[in-house]
Amino acid sequence: MKIAFMGTPNFAVPALEKINEIFKIDTVFTQPPQKSKRGMKELISPIHEISNKLNLNVRTPNHLNDELEFFKSKKFNLVVVAAYGQIIPDDFLKECLFINIHASLLPSWRGAAPIQRSLMNKDKSTGISIMKIEKELDSGPVLLTQSLPITIYSKHGDIEKKLAHIGSELIVKAIEKINENNYEFKEQNHNLKTYAKKITKEDEKIIWNMEAESVVARIHALAPNPGSYFDYNNEKLKIFECKLSDKIAEKPGHIHIVDERLFIACKDKYIEILVIQKPGKNKQKIKEFLKGYKFN
């Protein structure tokens, strides 16, 4: 088969490497280079970087439609998509089979931030779905799935790495089935669909008037990036790791320090803060942080 790959972030890298190792990839499409924060240089995507190392042909269109004639000329049999970052136009979907590595158990959490939203929702499991791409967002029939258990202590960064590995194994199985013409896509139950909207600045702010379990889940859902914060003395203090406490809370947001440990009250209970960060500083374990920071 002549295979194209469309992807951009680190999540997509294991799949690209695995597919290329076994089947070989003809062409890679990824997002164009972005300027660094100070604009001094251009930064290429993780997929672009690994593709260069593997000597793969890389295309970086600002708009995928600009590549339509090239795409048609290649006569691809299959396109694998993994967090590409652009909607695939209909004219492309007409040309060949497109399959997507989606980081949820569809029809749950269609959309931009499936891992974070699943963690925030305190789901018991997440997973990978290999699905056919159709016009409506993440609505296509599913070929393969694999689940992964999660808890309120599961961090987004860790789960993303695990799912990326699962996705790389599952996509190879999918391609083998397609290559052997021994596959069946199953329609999703659209009545059960939920959407994982993009993470916003509002999601990053900790709401202490929520139940402690929900606060813990939300903090870990945004670790290590972008992190969850609360305002104290005109500073945004970010929390990256915490755990539930048995201590009953009376006033949400109340700060309690005892034996070099920091507790903050939620709606029902206190949570214990384990890793925290001041603006412009490195992350610190709480014992080290309290040596140089005083709460009133």
Side-chain angles (χ1 to χ4, degrees), residues 128-147:
I128 288 289
S129 300
I130 307 297
M131 51 159 287
K132 181 181 179 182
I133 295 181
E134 294 187 344
K135 187 173 182 178
E136 187 180 338
L137 179 67
D138 297 330
S139 65
V142 175
L143 177 56
L144 294 170
T145 62
Q146 186 172 327
S147 63

Side-chain angles (χ1 to χ4, degrees), residues 102 104-118 120-121 123 135-140 188-199:
H102 185 73
S104 82
L105 298 173
L106 293 168
S108 295
W109 305 122
R110 299 175 180 179
I115 303 173
Q116 294 98 321
R117 296 298 175 187
S118 181
M120 287 179 171
N121 197 54
D123 292 349
K135 187 173 182 178
E136 187 180 338
L137 179 67
D138 297 330
S139 65
Q188 296 182 38
N189 185 343
H190 301 294
N191 293 326
L192 300 178
K193 65 185 177 184
T194 55
Y195 287 98
K197 64 180 182 178
K198 189 177 180 180
I199 298 299

Side-chain angles (χ1 to χ4, degrees), residues 67-78:
E67 295 286 307
L68 183 57
E69 292 308 313
F70 168 81
F71 189 87
K72 286 181 175 181
S73 72
K74 295 295 288 187
K75 299 189 183 301
F76 294 113
N77 304 109
L78 177 69

Side-chain angles (χ1 to χ4, degrees), residues 70-237:
F70 168 81
F71 189 87
K72 286 181 175 181
S73 72
K74 295 295 288 187
K75 299 189 183 301
F76 294 113
N77 304 109
L78 177 69
V79 180
V80 176
V81 181
Y84 175 45
Q86 291 190 39
I87 300 295
I88 312 298
D90 290 348
D91 287 340
F92 283 75
L93 298 179
K94 293 173 186 174
E95 292 297 312
C96 65
L97 176 61
F98 279 73
I99 56 176
N100 184 39
I101 306 171
H102 185 73
S104 82
L105 298 173
L106 293 168
S108 295
W109 305 122
R110 299 175 180 179
I115 303 173
Q116 294 98 321
R117 296 298 175 187
S118 181
L119 292 170
M120 287 179 171
N121 197 54
K122 299 182 288 185
D123 292 349
K124 301 301 181 187
S125 64
T126 183
I128 288 289
S129 300
I130 307 297
M131 51 159 287
K132 181 181 179 182
I133 295 181
E134 294 187 344
K135 187 173 182 178
E136 187 180 338
L137 179 67
D138 297 330
S139 65
V142 175
L143 177 56
L144 294 170
T145 62
Q146 186 172 327
S147 63
L148 176 71
I150 53 176
T151 72
I152 62 172
Y153 295 107
S154 299
K155 297 189 182 88
H156 170 252
D158 297 333
I159 298 302
E160 184 178 60
K161 288 177 184 176
K162 290 178 181 179
L163 289 179
H165 174 72
I166 291 171
S168 71
E169 299 289 338
L170 215 56
I171 194 64
V172 166
K173 292 180 183 178
I175 295 172
E176 286 172 345
K177 286 179 173 290
I178 292 167
N179 197 32
E180 295 165 2
N181 200 28
N182 179 29
Y183 65 97
E184 179 185 359
F185 286 99
K186 293 185 178 180
E187 196 70 21
Q188 296 182 38
N189 185 343
H190 301 294
N191 293 326
L192 300 178
K193 65 185 177 184
T194 55
Y195 287 98
K197 64 180 182 178
K198 189 177 180 180
I199 298 299
T200 66
K201 289 292 183 183
E202 288 74 22
D203 291 313
E204 297 173 29
K205 186 170 184 177
I206 299 169
I207 308 299
W208 297 115
N209 197 27
M210 294 176 67
E211 291 184 348
E213 278 198 5
S214 296
V215 173
V216 170
R218 291 176 72 87
I219 286 170
H220 292 141
L222 300 184
N225 289 305
S228 300
Y229 75 89
F230 68 101
D231 292 309
Y232 188 83
N233 280 350
N234 297 318
E235 286 188 313
K236 287 185 177 180
L237 300 181

